[in-house]
Amino acid sequence: TIKIVDQHGDVATTPDRASGAFTYNPALAPEGAELSVDAGGEGATTRVELEVEGLLPNRGYAAHAHVNPCGATGDAAGPHFQNAVDPAAAPGKPSVDPAYANQQNEIWLDLRTDGEGDGEATAEVPFVFTDRAPASVVIHEAEETATEAGKAGSAGARLACLTVPFR
């Protein structure tokens, strides 16, 4: 059983036993790994920090804020949170337009772990949450988020998810 613990003590276990923190691939999010997210807004800027401990060593992980809380499957978290929502995106058809799927309109937290499997990432975006806010952070399989047209924002399978009270 994987344990991914958030700053509130939520432990990610198999989806049938989890509540706020989930793991979907124990081979890439090892037993005992910990995730924590801290977020805050100031003026017209939001800063989000992700810290991980105990993931695979010396490996990149793409990570993003998503619109829904975590659930029994990785798809439950929905698409990436976008400040300006891509009108061409739809359920099952995520935004891949770099005009919308980018580091200024979404919250990207790509990181690389050290030899211990620990790492951190910070995203600072030029917006604050109003009536909409993300509800989770998803760790993806890709080592970094794609940026090219037609693939922008793509990051592979969802490995783990942490429900985060951004509001």
Side-chain angles (χ1 to χ4, degrees), residues 46-153:
T46 298
R47 181 181 176 94
V48 180
E49 298 173 1
L50 169 66
E51 291 186 29
V52 302
E53 293 181 13
L55 292 179
L56 296 184
N58 303 310
R59 186 190 192 284
Y61 287 92
H64 312 102
H66 283 250
V67 299
N68 299 326
C70 306
T73 68
D75 290 340
H80 294 176
F81 175 84
Q82 294 183 324
N83 183 47
V85 179
D86 182 349
K93 184 183 175 226
S95 177
V96 291
D97 179 347
Y100 295 93
N102 64 63
Q103 296 181 39
Q104 298 300 304
N105 192 48
E106 298 184 349
I107 299 169
W108 293 7
L109 296 157
D110 294 4
L111 60 91
R112 181 150 196 90
T113 57
D114 63 15
E116 303 288 315
D118 303 343
E120 58 186 44
T122 301
E124 198 164 298
V125 292
F127 58 84
V128 294
F129 306 130
T130 56
D131 59 331
R132 293 184 317 108
S136 61
V137 170
V138 173
I139 306 295
H140 291 271
E141 184 175 21
E143 295 202 14
E144 62 183 23
T145 305
T147 57
E148 62 272 16
K151 294 183 180 182

